[in-house]
Amino acid sequence: MDTIAAISTGNQIAAIGILRLSGPEALPIADAVFRPADGKPLSAHPRRTMVYGALLDRSGVPIDHALAVTFAAGASYTGEDSAEFHCHGSPVVLQEGLQALFAAGARQATGGEFTKRAFLSGCMDLTEAEAVIDLIEAETADAARNAVGQLSGLLRREIEGIYDRLMAITSRFYAVVDYPDEDIEDVEQSDMLETLTAAESSLAALLTSFDRGRVLKSGVPTAIIGRPNVGKSSLLNALVGYERAIVTDVAGTTRDTVEEKVLCGGVLLRLIDTAGIRATADTVEQIGVSRSRQAAEAADLCLVVLDGSQPLTGEDREALEMAQQAPTALAVVNKSDLPQALDVSALPAGLPRVALCAKTGAGLGELEAAMADLFPAGAAPRGQFLTNPRQAAAVERALSAVRGALSALQGGLTPDAVLTDAEAALSALGELTGKTAREDLVAQIFSRFCVGK
């Protein structure tokens, strides 16, 4: 296998930059490009120990004063001999150092190749590999906590526990069939029922966690809707903390959707400010209203903004009806600083609401609390939330197969019919962790990674 190298930090100017090296020739190549200050070869120093010295260019001329560390095969991120060089974050220094590594025998790493080698060497499974990119892309503390939990093996151990129990009953059954003369205890129906029931419960709980995991990772698509001049754009600006959208007293100022991400109550909202809902002869505004409807239909959360200083109008009722088509809706009664004329008892029963003033920010704390209530973290430990459709699809297939096995067992079918479904569940779980994943699927997963990781 080739020895690979890459810049693991960005190409922008920074205080520190890191070059990464991994493969069978990592240590000799590291010796060729790094000269420790004490005169000993880098490979002669203890592993996992920072060594001070000079990083050399292709001609052997020092290009930077740096720190280097080596890792032994079996005790590194990739499972191979590896080295890292921590130098000043000059793009020129990093590029010169990288070219020196190439000249000494390494090649350019492809996107995600370090983590792919960690997977192929057995240092991590696919759920842990996916957690690496989730951790890099995390936009909230909760998302980071869930990713690091998965990286620590919480989801893998949950899946392996189910896998091992299903494997125990299938392997015992085939042992009895293949070696009838041996004294092997047959599989009892009660044992199969207990194992399958426990697997169904665990897989159903995992599948339920996908909605929360998706929210943690990607945020909640949120449409801010309402009639013109109720304060939709003012609410967006208040949440993001600056004047992202134009606000005027002229009705219909917002003609197109305006998108922004914001953390509210610990929940990442992917906000879409929309044009005011109303009948209009203006062609451009008609397009904006049409896009508002489309945004509301696609949203997981609709914030319907109402003007608390005015009675409810027909356009307000239309916006409320649109909002209630979304999986989750919240009424935001704006302009709480003015005398209130809106009859909140006329709002749809069961629709949660908060009162605030988007102009001054008063009441935003109540909105944050409402978001935390609508999208609670739940009781599952961080790291056991499914976070992407691939994981959810694999668990769903496994759950369907387990339920098929239970149905066959309870219907009085022969054990081999039951175990056909059990084996299908094992295959799906193996795809989830990577035990039975196809090569093209593995390549697709690692294509999401940046070079150097």
Side-chain angles (χ1 to χ4, degrees):
M1 186 176 285
D2 295 340
T3 298
I4 57 174
I7 300 170
S8 283
T9 45
N11 289 321
Q12 298 80 20
I13 295 174
I16 296 173
I18 298 175
L19 292 165
R20 186 178 239 178
L21 181 68
S22 181
E25 298 302 313
L27 298 182
I29 292 173
D31 281 339
V33 303
F34 188 79
R35 183 186 301 156
D38 63 6
K40 294 192 301 183
L42 179 61
S43 59
H45 290 78
R47 304 292 172 262
R48 295 175 174 264
T49 301
M50 282 290 190
V51 178
Y52 175 72
L55 180 67
L56 311 179
D57 66 13
R58 286 165 289 181
S59 303
V61 176
I63 189 69
D64 193 12
H65 295 292
L67 293 170
V69 57
T70 57
F71 305 90
S76 69
Y77 179 79
T78 60
E80 306 171 322
D81 283 339
S82 302
E84 289 182 1
F85 306 92
H86 296 234
C87 49
H88 293 93
S90 160
V92 171
V93 168
L94 291 169
Q95 283 295 334
E96 285 295 312
L98 184 62
Q99 292 303 318
L101 292 172
F102 294 161
R107 69 161 172 82
Q108 174 68 60
T110 59
E113 190 170 3
F114 290 96
T115 305
K116 185 176 182 179
R117 289 189 176 201
F119 165 69
L120 294 174
S121 66
C123 293
M124 60 175 65
D125 78 335
L126 278 186
T127 65
E128 292 164 338
E130 287 174 314
V132 173
I133 193 67
D134 285 352
L135 188 57
I136 292 171
E137 295 177 349
E139 295 183 85
T140 69
D142 277 347
R145 292 186 189 104
N146 188 68
V148 79
Q150 280 198 12
L151 187 55
S152 301
L154 286 178
L155 181 57
R156 171 182 55 78
R157 289 192 288 274
E158 175 76 9
I159 295 299
E160 283 181 346
I162 302 169
Y163 186 96
D164 290 345
R165 290 192 294 273
L166 290 173
M167 180 59 76
I169 61 170
T170 56
S171 60
R172 203 164 84 196
F173 170 79
Y174 285 117
V176 171
V177 171
D178 293 340
Y179 303 98
D181 297 331
E182 298 292 331
D183 186 20
I184 302 174
E185 186 179 356
D186 203 353
V187 183
E188 296 290 337
Q189 183 171 345
S190 59
D191 292 342
M192 296 177 68
L193 181 62
E194 181 181 353
T195 297
L196 291 171
T197 300
E200 180 190 31
S201 176
S202 297
L203 289 169
L206 271 177
L207 192 58
T208 301
S209 78
F210 176 54
D211 284 341
R212 179 55 185 161
R214 184 166 52 87
V215 168
L216 281 176
K217 178 182 174 182
S218 303
V220 183
T222 304
I224 305 175
I225 66 172
R227 63 180 171 87
N229 267 16
V230 292
K232 300 183 300 300
S233 295
S234 295
L235 177 60
L236 173 72
N237 291 343
L239 288 171
V240 301
Y242 68 98
E243 292 191 13
R244 174 64 176 85
I246 298 172
V247 177
T248 74
D249 293 331
V250 179
T253 300
T254 301
R255 299 296 187 94
D256 202 352
T257 55
V258 179
E259 301 186 20
E260 195 64 61
K261 290 182 182 180
V262 66
L263 195 63
C264 183
V267 181
L268 182 65
L269 303 181
R270 288 162 48 199
L271 295 172
I272 305 172
D273 181 25
T274 65
I277 306 297
R278 69 169 178 175
T280 176
D282 186 302
T283 302
V284 176
E285 192 175 355
Q286 285 177 355
I287 296 173
V289 172
S290 175
R291 291 183 178 180
S292 296
R293 297 181 187 280
Q294 293 171 7
E297 290 171 0
D300 287 344
L301 168 65
C302 270
L303 300 179
V304 55
V305 183
L306 306 167
D307 185 343
S309 69
Q310 297 181 14
L312 210 62
T313 69
E315 291 167 342
D316 288 328
R317 292 187 177 89
E318 184 181 358
L320 285 164
E321 187 176 330
M322 286 175 54
Q324 289 184 291
Q325 303 306 309
T328 309
L330 176 72
V332 178
V333 182
N334 190 27
K335 305 186 182 180
S336 61
D337 57 324
L338 300 177
Q340 297 297 285
L342 186 136
D343 180 8
V344 294
S345 66
L347 298 180
L351 177 67
R353 65 178 183 269
V354 296
L356 55 77
C357 177
K359 184 177 181 180
T360 66
L364 286 179
E366 285 76 5
L367 179 59
E368 292 189 357
M371 288 299 103
D373 288 340
L374 289 172
F375 300 96
R382 292 291 188 272
Q384 290 184 354
F385 291 124
L386 303 180
T387 57
N388 64 59
R390 184 197 79 84
Q391 294 175 353
V395 171
E396 189 170 20
R397 290 198 305 275
L399 178 59
S400 178
V402 166
R403 285 175 173 165
L406 273 171
S407 179
L409 182 65
Q410 292 164 344
L413 298 182
T414 57
D416 58 322
V418 176
L419 293 172
T420 297
D421 281 321
E423 288 178 321
L426 286 170
S427 177
L429 294 175
E431 183 179 306
L432 178 62
T433 60
K435 287 182 179 180
T436 60
R438 305 185 314 273
E439 186 175 342
D440 59 335
L441 174 63
V442 173
Q444 181 181 6
I445 290 171
F446 288 101
S447 69
R448 297 173 51 211
F449 286 63
C450 57
V451 174
K453 193 57 184 171

